[in-house]
Amino acid sequence: MRILDIKTFVALARNRHFGRTAEELNTTQPAISSRLAAIEAELESRLINRGDGSFALTADGERVLQSFEAILGDIDRLRGTLQGDAVPALEPLRIGAIDSVSSTWMPHLIDSLHRSFPNLKIELTVDGTKHLVQGMSKGEFDVIFSLHPVLDDGFRSFTSCVLQMVWAGSPKLIDPDRTYSVAELASLPIISFPKNSPPYQMIAPYFHDEQALASKLTSCNSLYAIINLIIDGFGVGAIPAVTIRRELSMGLLHQVQVSKRFPPMHIVASYQASTHQDFIRKVISQARISAARFCASVEPDMAWID
């Protein structure tokens, strides 16, 4: 069995897609299929269940993946020793995160990972929950931090932290000393995340429960753009308080005092549990530490560990 075949199988398990694996290895999909068939023939076992757009390793495939990763790890360590490198080069770590994470404790995580793995390459993608979860299911990420878990086979999820959501507004639009009822809040222009997004799904019931609907609603898919729109007085918005600490301290924004508290936002981490298990476990451990340290550095009612 060739090292190339072993690398192909590990890449295929990681990407969960023949086309992306072919692109990564600079070859064709038929070549990837041929290498997989050769491995399965030599080991006399089916390693991957595929069909109807699904992709999953068999039980034998899981065992083979662990052995193949161990083999490649030994080769990398040997190469690093011979070349005088203390830490061998690793595959790029593909992280996906929503705005609320990228603007808060993601820099802490990236810095700590670079200290632990000096040769590590990190590819960070900032996007909405829907696209991150879809991308994770397709094998485009190793770890994501979003608002929904990935429920497909081969993935694990946990709540990394909780961010308190608050209504915020510019002093151009709201009275910081006034307590607004839900109906009064609904009469103001509101800046929201796009319809059917997890943050929007939190906002809609807030008004529906009180039988008061927002009269003016503007949607935007960027947290940064929403914050700027609120600063300019275009409306009020429900956003994580920890993401606007600077704006609150400068008086650019004020927390709207409301009669009904807005529910907190749970940040969910999801990761591939079948590939690079030892390394991913270290990444997840560091993510937990980074999130906890960040929460400890801010006001306790803004962010916490559940």
Side-chain angles (χ1 to χ4, degrees):
M1 189 179 301
R2 302 175 302 172
I3 295 298
L4 178 60
D5 296 329
I6 294 176
K7 288 184 175 179
T8 297
F9 183 78
V10 172
L12 183 59
R14 184 170 183 247
N15 289 312
R16 301 169 64 88
H17 192 274
F18 283 78
R20 284 191 294 271
T21 302
E23 182 178 352
E24 177 182 327
L25 300 180
N26 194 28
T27 186
T28 63
Q29 291 190 46
I32 300 299
S33 298
S34 177
R35 293 173 193 175
L36 174 61
I39 296 173
E40 290 181 328
E42 184 167 347
L43 297 179
E44 299 181 350
S45 179
R46 186 173 182 83
L47 305 181
I48 294 176
N49 288 324
R50 52 195 184 276
D52 298 328
S54 63
F55 182 103
L57 296 177
T58 64
D60 286 344
E62 296 278 2
R63 288 191 288 270
V64 169
L65 175 63
Q66 293 181 25
S67 296
F68 281 7
E69 286 187 331
I71 291 170
L72 295 178
D74 288 340
I75 293 174
D76 282 343
R77 282 187 288 273
L78 176 59
R79 183 181 295 112
T81 300
L82 296 177
Q83 294 177 354
D85 294 333
V87 180
L90 297 167
E91 294 288 339
L93 175 65
R94 305 165 301 172
I95 301 177
I98 59 174
D99 284 336
S100 299
V101 175
S102 68
S103 64
T104 53
W105 54 269
M106 182 54 64
H108 300 71
L109 174 58
I110 292 177
D111 182 58
S112 64
L113 289 173
H114 279 153
R115 288 199 305 269
S116 299
F117 307 99
N119 295 332
L120 178 64
K121 296 179 180 179
I122 298 176
E123 298 175 354
L124 174 63
T125 298
V126 180
D127 208 334
T129 289
K130 180 180 178 180
H131 291 155
L132 292 176
V133 171
Q134 289 177 344
M136 190 70 174
S137 298
K138 295 176 181 178
E140 297 173 359
F141 300 107
D142 300 306
V143 183
I144 64 169
F145 301 94
S146 63
L147 302 182
H148 286 167
V150 180
L151 302 177
D152 293 352
D153 292 338
F155 298 97
R156 295 178 183 173
S157 300
F158 65 93
T159 299
S160 58
C161 67
V162 183
L163 306 181
Q164 180 58 51
M165 299 278 283
V166 298
W167 286 102
S170 166
K172 302 174 186 177
L173 181 64
I174 61 108
D175 179 358
D177 298 322
R178 174 183 173 184
T179 298
Y180 289 78
S181 67
V182 173
E184 291 170 332
L185 193 64
S187 68
L188 297 173
I190 293 176
I191 313 296
S192 168
F193 285 90
K195 188 176 181 180
N196 297 326
S197 67
Y200 177 87
Q201 291 169 353
M202 296 172 67
I203 290 175
Y206 181 89
F207 293 104
H208 293 165
D209 290 347
E210 301 291 340
Q211 296 182 342
L213 301 177
S215 59
K216 298 178 182 178
L217 183 66
T218 300
S219 64
C220 178
N221 65 350
S222 168
L223 173 64
Y224 304 102
I226 289 175
I227 292 174
N228 286 329
L229 287 170
I230 297 174
I231 290 175
D232 289 337
F234 284 97
V236 297
I239 52 181
V242 74
T243 65
I244 53 171
R245 285 184 300 159
R246 182 180 60 181
E247 290 78 6
L248 291 172
S249 65
M250 295 174 63
L252 295 174
L253 290 177
H254 290 276
Q255 181 174 331
V256 182
Q257 305 301 316
V258 293
S259 60
K260 178 182 177 182
R261 184 178 175 86
F262 202 88
M265 172 187 290
H266 291 73
I267 304 298
V268 180
S270 297
Y271 60 98
Q272 289 203 33
S274 58
T275 60
H276 300 294
Q277 294 183 21
D278 291 339
F279 174 58
I280 293 298
R281 275 197 290 267
K282 293 176 182 177
V283 172
I284 293 303
S285 175
Q286 191 56 61
R288 291 180 184 273
I289 293 172
S290 295
R293 286 179 176 174
F294 177 80
C295 291
S297 71
V298 301
E299 293 84 344
D301 61 342
M302 284 190 174
W304 61 90
I305 303 299
D306 201 0

